[in-house]
Amino acid sequence: MKKLLTFVLIVMLACLFLDKISGSGSDMHMQFNGDDVDGPLEWLFGLVFAGGGLLIAAIAVVCAAVITGVVLAGVGVVLIAVVALCVVLALALSTPVLLPLLIPVAIVWLIVSRNRKQAQARQHSL
């Protein structure tokens, strides 16, 4: 990665150097209040305005990320609550259907628990 970054930096600097040597670097014109700005002031204004635009864009992206995180967290909490409500509702609606299945399960559970209590009582009496 370091070699690629170094290569790209060298190519960019070479392009900038060739642009300055060829004289075509003066294609850019900046106007401020209707007057052409020339010389180092043109570069200074270009850097300030470009940097300011990048700073504003970075602040906007950070704000959008924070707002998106807060909104999605809130939506996630609401979705979890809705899913829990749907599960409770589904269980409440399926209880009459499951009742014939629960009666044999309850009988088996009572028999097993009674046998377990009797086995424990025998162990304690020995």
Side-chain angles (χ1 to χ4, degrees):
M1 185 68 185
K2 288 183 179 181
K3 290 182 180 181
L4 179 65
L5 186 62
T6 305
F7 178 72
V8 169
L9 186 61
I10 289 172
V11 168
M12 286 175 58
L13 287 175
C15 289
L16 181 66
F17 181 70
L18 289 174
D19 187 48
K20 288 297 171 190
I21 288 178
S22 67
S24 64
S26 62
D27 299 7
M28 186 174 73
H29 297 287
M30 182 173 173
Q31 290 188 356
F32 189 71
N33 285 336
D35 297 328
D36 280 337
V37 180
D38 228 359
L41 195 56
E42 177 183 16
W43 289 99
L44 178 66
F45 277 149
L47 286 175
V48 167
F49 292 146
L54 287 175
L55 183 65
I56 291 172
I59 291 171
V61 167
V62 168
C63 289
V66 168
I67 290 172
T68 302
V70 169
V71 167
L72 291 181
V75 169
V77 170
V78 170
L79 286 178
I80 289 173
V82 167
V83 168
L85 182 65
C86 288
V87 168
V88 168
L89 186 64
L91 285 175
L93 291 175
S94 66
T95 301
V97 176
L98 293 177
L99 191 58
L101 295 175
L102 290 177
I103 292 173
V105 171
I107 292 172
V108 170
W109 183 28
L110 287 173
I111 292 172
V112 169
S113 67
R114 188 178 59 133
N115 289 342
R116 189 175 296 153
K117 285 180 185 178
Q118 288 177 357
Q120 287 178 354
R122 282 188 215 140
Q123 285 181 352
H124 287 307
S125 65
L126 294 176

